[in-house]
Amino acid sequence: MVLNKAGREIPQPYAEQHGIYEGELAHITTYKEASRTIKPVKPGETKLLADIREAIERTGLTDGMTISFHHHFREGDFVMNMVLAEIAAMGIKDISIAPSSIANVHEPLIEHIKNGVVTQITSSGLRDKVGAAISSRIMDKPVIIRSHGGRARAIAAGDIHIDVAFLGAPSSDAYGNANGTKGKATCGSLGYAMIDAKYADQVVIITDTLVPYPNAPASISQTDVDFVVEVESIGDPAGIAKGATRFTKNPKELLIAENAAKVITASPYYKEGFSFQTGTGGSSLAVTRFIKEKMLADGIKAGFVLGGITNAMVDLLKEGLTEKIIDVQDFDHPSAVSLGENDAHCEIDANMYASPLSKGAVVNQLDTAVLSALEVDTDFNVNVITGSDGVLRGASGGHSDTSMACKMSLVIAPLIRGRIPTFVDRVNTVVTPGDSVDVVVTEIGIAINPKRTDLLEHFKHIDVPQYTIAELKDKAYQIVGTPEPIAYGEHVVALIEYRDGSLIDVVYNV
Amino acid sequence: MVLNKAGREIPQPYAEQHGIYEGELAHITTYKEASRTIKPVKPGETKLLADIREAIERTGLTDGMTISFHHHFREGDFVMNMVLAEIAAMGIKDISIAPSSIANVHEPLIEHIKNGVVTQITSSGLRDKVGAAISSRIMDKPVIIRSHGGRARAIAAGDIHIDVAFLGAPSSDAYGNANGTKGKATCGSLGYAMIDAKYADQVVIITDTLVPYPNAPASISQTDVDFVVEVESIGDPAGIAKGATRFTKNPKELLIAENAAKVITASPYYKEGFSFQTGTGGSSLAVTRFIKEKMLADGIKAGFVLGGITNAMVDLLKEGLTEKIIDVQDFDHPSAVSLGENDAHCEIDANMYASPLSKGAVVNQLDTAVLSALEVDTDFNVNVITGSDGVLRGASGGHSDTSMACKMSLVIAPLIRGRIPTFVDRVNTVVTPGDSVDVVVTEIGIAINPKRTDLLEHFKHIDVPQYTIAELKDKAYQIVGTPEPIAYGEHVVALIEYRDGSLIDVVYNV
């Protein structure tokens, strides 16, 4: 075991393979960018194939290769299941998959793992049944959990080398120019897929809306695409927007949101041209609404909003309250539509969004970000990947990227959820180190990271109750009692990479 | 000497270094893409520097390195002269320059060559005084002339490795997001610069219009930029648009244009959704005008027009006569404005425009292209680089790229220019091999390449006089006499690369 700088013990072999977390910027050094093998496409050659099977055959996909997918269709994705079913039917085994994330809809993956079709996974997250199956140890090799910026980094640095990317595209022409703003299953930004398209040796575009050449503007360019396949349907629009945009009426969530908005608008960063990211979920959407009210009252306009875009952000743009929307992913249909229609609503890839190894990601320019948490501990470490039972069920997302890089990160969470404390002595799993968290916001008040002496001073008189992080934990324990320790097994089922590629934690089987 | 497939003798050492032309697709094979060394930019770090000198210092530019520039400012460019003057003042020597092209305005380059500051050049073209100086042998190493697609290929394949790209940008924010549609010296598309930005180890954006972050949409992204410098002025708008958009009243040019338009609109490719590229110059612009009249009369609409965009193309879009403009470079101000305003006017990089090693360039999808010529010989070989005196004064441009890849290439030229025949037994320099040329168009009629038996058959009854290419040459010689051979020296001053990187010809000193 090797102890890392987040206070976590990393088993020796994994520590040697990946390195261990040694601080936010310890591993950020000059490097040679990875590159791909390109098979030029000559005049007269066609890229349009009959079906997914022909695409798999033409790419020469064989046992042991790495394939990738994007998660822009979220719970509405048909692509990963279709492709893996075909791969399984063809008898191909020992495949590594590197989707940008995995959703509940990908439950068939469990069988592919059990049958030896899929033997390695890297992903931002693992939901419900797939997460539970992984936690119960159906795979020999641990899943590697990477943040969105960390995945872009891993691809650029060559830690992930994608042999074939199978990328669902709401619209494409027969030469591979693809975007997410037109078609039957519009998902808006293709920000995560754009990275795969740039670095994969081979790229297969799978679309249900084939349009005349040239499909321009394109998020993915013909110069990155080898083959195009038209299928009946690539995704379910209802699933793409699932659960993202509910406006909360929950009083606790509203209190959290109000407190977060107070912190942001009382901060030194709140001024003409400021920037923020709020994400999805009831409280987050409400934060945007509360900030908006204050901006209107103060006559202040944002320079840009970033994300993970929802309708709430689109409204800011429409009402002239932000100059730009910078968009790596859309969570609802209005956002996807806005991206296609508004020049000030701009698509970026995951590298530009959040990679710590890029020549400067947008998160580096971000003033403040609002991030959720499953658990927060007294060192401000945040867990967004495992439940209170220790089972994999969340996603790393942009959490560690944004919280590290922005000027003031807010982690919002209720004190308790049901009978479970959110604030604990020690999180089950560290995804974001406490060093990256500036202010924790709950329904009863806030805790400022003592390292941010500037914020402690600045917020002396803010109209929100202030606690130490230990006091928040004590209050949670007073209500629901001290949680029982989890009875983990002895097998590592997931490696949690920090955004720089080093290991910040591991997850054992339950 | 080694004889290549264009019938040209290539000196042994150069033949060994570059390979020789062996046919249009002989060297198009699978390859590992080149990559760059990236120095990550951390949160809080600034890219904005005081001046060009500081940028040169910060990049660590030293003797022997390769730097690049783009030619989107054409005769209005201030950037290359500014940067080279500073490099010279700092005492740096033995620099290779890899601009996408060189204009008359770059005459100061002659002194930098003589002083040993610049010792190697690759470029698409060399104009007037610089060309004459190179032809008079002021450099030891021959200039390498590359087509636009060939340059993109060379960069992607690692034949050109750019240490530092100095890229003028009409607008940029302090983090390097740059575009050509806003600012004081708008040039529109930054298509050639976009390639340098993606592959250069370090990129310096030089702008005279610094705008608030984020400058989006951006042609060059912050993730490709290391430093930003603000200067008083990067270019002269009058020089940017110089000479491009004159509508000819010259009867000979109009006849050529009319014949070309007749060939295109009588061709099998002329139908709903067809595509074409016409370029600049009096005849070319007139071709667009004649085609437009026919399209209006026939109720036919183009799928896209490509180029090298001029106001004539923009008019087609405005009048609903083309679905899209695909734009690697703009030749006038209205085109630059249109790119910034119209979603159907789309910017592409030089790789997507024309690289033979890409996964499929737009030229591969092009129906027909109209290209000019300084000389055409009886094997249909075209010279666009040396004058009738053998002196370097033209540019390879997209000539060999488009003519090879499109379905029907037209080379337009007057039979004679002054007392000089355009049609000759043997061109001084081969830039585009005869295999790539389908129809030659003059004021008196056309010559179809006998290899295109399909076109010979199709155009049997076209309302344009038809000749053999030898007949065109004979007619030219009848008028002005047989040209005297040029008294070349013994030193190679330029290597002419075919788009695939092999040598199609060399140019000797005069």
Side-chain angles (χ1 to χ4, degrees):
Chain A
M1 290 292 176
V2 187
L3 192 71
N4 71 14
K5 218 189 162 190
R8 298 287 156 149
E9 293 199 318
I10 309 297
Q12 192 76 38
Y14 299 120
E16 280 166 15
Q17 270 171 39
H18 294 256
I20 58 163
Y21 174 68
E22 299 179 273
E24 292 169 313
L25 294 168
H27 297 288
I28 305 305
T29 50
T30 300
Y31 69 108
K32 178 85 171 167
E33 192 179 20
S35 76
R36 58 188 166 175
T37 298
I38 292 179
K39 188 171 172 230
V41 174
K42 299 172 187 169
E45 290 180 353
T46 179
K47 298 182 181 182
L48 192 64
L49 306 181
D51 50 32
I52 290 174
R53 177 173 286 240
E54 191 187 358
I56 295 169
E57 288 168 353
R58 287 287 295 276
T59 60
L61 187 74
T62 52
D63 297 6
M65 284 190 171
T66 299
I67 63 175
S68 77
F69 306 92
H70 68 71
H71 76 290
H72 288 286
F73 302 133
R74 303 174 69 238
E75 289 298 345
D77 180 45
F78 296 168
V79 174
M80 186 154 89
N81 291 344
M82 279 194 294
V83 172
L84 286 179
E86 198 63 48
I87 286 172
M90 290 168 74
I92 300 171
K93 300 271 180 186
D94 193 22
I95 290 294
S96 288
I97 63 168
S100 51
S101 204
I102 292 172
N104 288 316
V105 72
H106 299 124
E107 197 182 325
L109 185 54
I110 297 170
E111 278 312 298
H112 296 309
I113 294 168
K114 289 182 177 169
N115 293 336
V117 175
V118 172
T119 54
Q120 271 196 80
I121 297 176
T122 178
S123 173
S124 165
L126 295 164
R127 306 292 181 174
D128 294 17
K129 289 190 183 166
V130 177
I134 299 290
S135 273
S136 78
R137 207 187 155 216
I138 58 168
M139 281 182 97
D140 285 339
K141 294 179 187 160
V143 170
I144 303 177
I145 299 295
R146 291 179 161 110
S147 72
H148 291 327
R151 180 179 190 267
R153 177 210 62 74
I155 293 172
D159 293 351
I160 301 174
H161 181 78
I162 302 165
D163 293 299
V164 187
F166 293 94
L167 304 178
S171 75
S172 178
D173 60 40
Y175 220 46
N177 294 294
N179 68 47
T181 57
K182 288 179 284 186
K184 297 172 205 162
T186 51
C187 60
S189 177
L190 289 174
Y192 298 120
M194 287 157 77
I195 290 296
D196 303 39
K198 287 280 173 211
Y199 290 91
D201 285 344
Q202 294 187 79
V203 173
V204 178
I205 293 289
I206 300 171
T207 190
D208 55 12
T209 306
L210 202 63
V211 301
Y213 185 89
N215 187 26
S219 309
I220 293 171
S221 157
Q222 64 185 51
T223 46
D224 294 324
V225 175
D226 298 84
F227 301 109
V228 178
V229 176
E230 191 182 19
V231 296
E232 184 61 28
S233 181
I234 55 168
D236 168 21
I240 294 174
K242 195 169 178 181
T245 56
R246 129 189 106 89
F247 268 106
T248 187
K249 287 178 182 173
N250 178 320
K252 204 199 270 185
E253 287 186 346
L254 285 172
L255 271 172
I256 296 171
E258 205 176 342
N259 287 340
K262 279 183 182 169
V263 170
I264 290 170
T265 57
S267 79
Y269 310 108
Y270 177 69
K271 57 189 177 202
E272 186 69 18
F274 83 116
S275 55
F276 62 98
Q277 168 174 325
T278 49
T280 60
S283 290
S284 293
L285 287 168
V287 175
T288 306
R289 197 167 51 180
F290 286 123
I291 296 176
K292 175 180 159 183
E293 284 167 15
K294 186 85 168 86
M295 289 167 73
L296 279 168
D298 298 337
I300 278 186
K301 186 175 180 173
F304 69 95
V305 293
L306 177 66
I309 300 304
T310 61
N311 199 15
M313 300 294 211
V314 173
D315 286 344
L316 290 179
L317 185 66
K318 283 183 181 161
E319 293 174 41
L321 291 171
T322 185
E323 290 281 350
K324 301 279 159 82
I325 295 177
I326 306 298
D327 185 348
V328 70
Q329 180 182 17
D330 292 289
F331 288 119
D332 55 30
H333 189 66
S335 306
V337 170
S338 166
L339 178 66
E341 290 178 351
N342 201 319
D343 274 351
H345 185 158
C346 303
E347 187 175 27
I348 58 166
D349 64 30
N351 180 56
M352 179 155 166
Y353 172 50
S355 171
L357 282 193
S358 76
K359 291 184 176 180
V362 180
V363 291
N364 293 3
Q365 293 287 323
L366 187 67
D367 285 328
T368 184
V370 178
L371 301 150
S372 58
L374 293 172
E375 291 181 320
V376 183
D377 71 20
T378 49
D379 292 325
F380 287 85
N381 295 316
V382 178
N383 170 21
V384 285
I385 192 76
T386 49
S388 60
D389 52 1
V391 173
L392 291 157
R393 64 160 51 93
S396 175
H399 203 289
S400 63
D401 301 306
T402 336
S403 50
M404 185 274 145
C406 79
K407 296 193 182 66
M408 181 181 74
S409 64
L410 274 60
V411 168
I412 60 170
L415 216 51
I416 56 167
R417 288 188 175 92
R419 296 297 303 165
I420 296 161
T422 306
F423 290 83
V424 293
D425 282 314
R426 187 177 159 83
V427 290
N428 288 329
T429 313
V430 181
V431 172
T432 295
D435 280 352
S436 300
V437 176
D438 296 315
V439 184
V440 168
V441 183
T442 72
E443 67 276 28
I444 64 161
I446 63 173
I448 298 170
N449 191 325
K451 295 187 176 173
R452 289 299 302 263
T453 51
D454 60 327
L455 291 181
L456 283 166
E457 177 63 27
H458 181 88
F459 285 129
K460 244 181 196 166
H461 305 295
I462 191 175
D463 171 31
V464 182
Q466 292 192 47
Y467 302 92
T468 66
I469 191 77
E471 287 170 344
L472 290 180
K473 184 265 300 177
D474 288 343
K475 283 185 180 287
Y477 283 15
Q478 279 161 21
I479 304 168
V480 294
T482 302
E484 293 292 317
I486 297 164
Y488 284 111
E490 288 175 0
H491 301 280
V492 173
V493 293
L495 305 174
I496 313 296
E497 270 196 13
Y498 185 60
R499 63 197 298 253
D500 66 3
S502 68
L503 293 184
I504 194 159
D505 212 341
V506 299
V507 179
Y508 289 88
N509 65 310
V510 185
Chain B
M1 290 292 176
V2 188
L3 193 72
N4 72 13
K5 218 188 161 191
R8 296 287 156 150
E9 292 200 321
I10 310 297
Q12 191 77 38
Y14 299 120
E16 280 167 15
Q17 270 170 42
H18 294 256
I20 58 164
Y21 174 69
E22 299 179 273
E24 292 169 312
L25 294 169
H27 297 289
I28 304 305
T29 49
T30 299
Y31 70 108
K32 178 85 172 166
E33 193 180 20
S35 77
R36 57 190 167 174
T37 298
I38 292 178
K39 189 170 171 230
V41 174
K42 298 172 187 170
E45 290 181 351
T46 178
K47 297 182 181 181
L48 192 64
L49 305 182
D51 50 31
I52 290 173
R53 178 171 285 239
E54 192 188 357
I56 295 169
E57 288 168 355
R58 288 286 295 278
T59 59
L61 187 74
T62 53
D63 297 7
M65 283 189 172
T66 299
I67 63 175
S68 77
F69 306 91
H70 67 72
H71 75 292
H72 288 286
F73 301 133
R74 305 174 67 239
E75 288 297 345
D77 180 47
F78 295 168
V79 174
M80 185 153 92
N81 291 343
M82 279 195 293
V83 172
L84 285 179
E86 199 63 49
I87 286 172
M90 291 168 74
I92 300 171
K93 300 270 180 187
D94 193 22
I95 290 294
S96 289
I97 63 168
S100 50
S101 204
I102 292 173
N104 288 316
V105 72
H106 298 123
E107 196 182 327
L109 184 55
I110 296 170
E111 277 311 297
H112 296 311
I113 294 169
K114 289 182 175 168
N115 293 335
V117 175
V118 172
T119 54
Q120 271 195 79
I121 297 176
T122 179
S123 173
S124 164
L126 293 164
R127 306 293 180 174
D128 293 18
K129 289 188 183 165
V130 178
I134 299 290
S135 273
S136 79
R137 208 188 155 216
I138 58 168
M139 283 182 96
D140 286 339
K141 294 179 189 161
V143 170
I144 303 177
I145 300 295
R146 291 180 161 110
S147 72
H148 291 326
R151 181 179 189 267
R153 178 210 60 75
I155 293 171
D159 292 351
I160 301 175
H161 180 80
I162 303 165
D163 294 298
V164 187
F166 294 94
L167 303 177
S171 75
S172 178
D173 60 40
Y175 219 47
N177 295 294
N179 67 48
T181 56
K182 288 181 283 187
K184 298 171 203 162
T186 51
C187 60
S189 177
L190 289 173
Y192 298 120
M194 287 157 79
I195 288 296
D196 303 39
K198 287 280 171 211
Y199 290 91
D201 285 342
Q202 295 188 79
V203 173
V204 178
I205 292 289
I206 300 172
T207 189
D208 54 11
T209 306
L210 202 63
V211 300
Y213 185 90
N215 186 29
S219 309
I220 293 171
S221 158
Q222 63 185 50
T223 46
D224 294 324
V225 175
D226 298 84
F227 301 110
V228 178
V229 177
E230 191 183 20
V231 296
E232 185 62 27
S233 181
I234 54 167
D236 169 20
I240 294 174
K242 195 170 177 179
T245 56
R246 134 188 101 87
F247 269 105
T248 187
K249 289 180 180 169
N250 178 320
K252 204 199 271 186
E253 288 186 345
L254 286 172
L255 272 172
I256 295 170
E258 205 176 340
N259 286 341
K262 278 183 184 169
V263 170
I264 290 171
T265 58
S267 79
Y269 310 108
Y270 176 68
K271 58 188 175 204
E272 186 69 17
F274 83 116
S275 57
F276 63 97
Q277 168 174 326
T278 49
T280 61
S283 290
S284 294
L285 288 169
V287 174
T288 306
R289 196 168 49 181
F290 286 122
I291 295 176
K292 177 179 156 182
E293 284 167 15
K294 187 85 168 86
M295 288 167 74
L296 280 169
D298 298 336
I300 280 188
K301 186 174 180 173
F304 69 95
V305 293
L306 177 66
I309 300 303
T310 62
N311 199 14
M313 300 294 211
V314 173
D315 286 344
L316 290 181
L317 185 65
K318 284 183 180 162
E319 295 174 40
L321 290 171
T322 185
E323 290 281 350
K324 301 280 159 83
I325 294 177
I326 305 299
D327 185 348
V328 71
Q329 180 182 16
D330 291 290
F331 287 119
D332 54 31
H333 190 65
S335 307
V337 170
S338 167
L339 178 66
E341 290 180 351
N342 200 320
D343 275 351
H345 186 159
C346 303
E347 188 176 26
I348 58 165
D349 64 30
N351 180 57
M352 179 156 165
Y353 171 49
S355 172
L357 282 193
S358 76
K359 290 183 177 181
V362 181
V363 290
N364 293 3
Q365 293 287 324
L366 187 66
D367 285 327
T368 182
V370 178
L371 300 150
S372 58
L374 292 172
E375 291 181 320
V376 184
D377 70 22
T378 47
D379 291 325
F380 286 86
N381 294 317
V382 179
N383 170 22
V384 286
I385 192 75
T386 48
S388 60
D389 53 1
V391 174
L392 290 158
R393 63 161 50 92
S396 175
H399 203 290
S400 62
D401 301 307
T402 339
S403 51
M404 185 273 147
C406 79
K407 296 191 181 68
M408 180 181 74
S409 64
L410 273 61
V411 168
I412 59 170
L415 215 52
I416 58 167
R417 288 187 176 92
R419 295 298 302 164
I420 296 162
T422 307
F423 290 81
V424 292
D425 283 314
R426 188 177 159 83
V427 290
N428 287 327
T429 313
V430 180
V431 172
T432 294
D435 280 350
S436 300
V437 176
D438 296 315
V439 184
V440 168
V441 182
T442 73
E443 67 275 28
I444 63 160
I446 62 173
I448 297 171
N449 191 324
K451 293 188 177 173
R452 290 300 301 264
T453 50
D454 59 327
L455 291 181
L456 282 168
E457 178 64 27
H458 181 89
F459 284 130
K460 243 180 196 167
H461 305 295
I462 191 174
D463 171 32
V464 182
Q466 291 193 48
Y467 301 92
T468 65
I469 190 80
E471 287 169 344
L472 289 180
K473 185 264 303 177
D474 289 342
K475 282 183 182 289
Y477 282 16
Q478 280 161 20
I479 304 167
V480 293
T482 303
E484 291 294 316
I486 298 163
Y488 284 111
E490 288 174 2
H491 301 280
V492 173
V493 293
L495 305 175
I496 313 296
E497 271 196 13
Y498 185 60
R499 62 196 301 251
D500 66 4
S502 68
L503 292 184
I504 195 158
D505 211 343
V506 299
V507 178
Y508 288 88
N509 65 308
V510 185

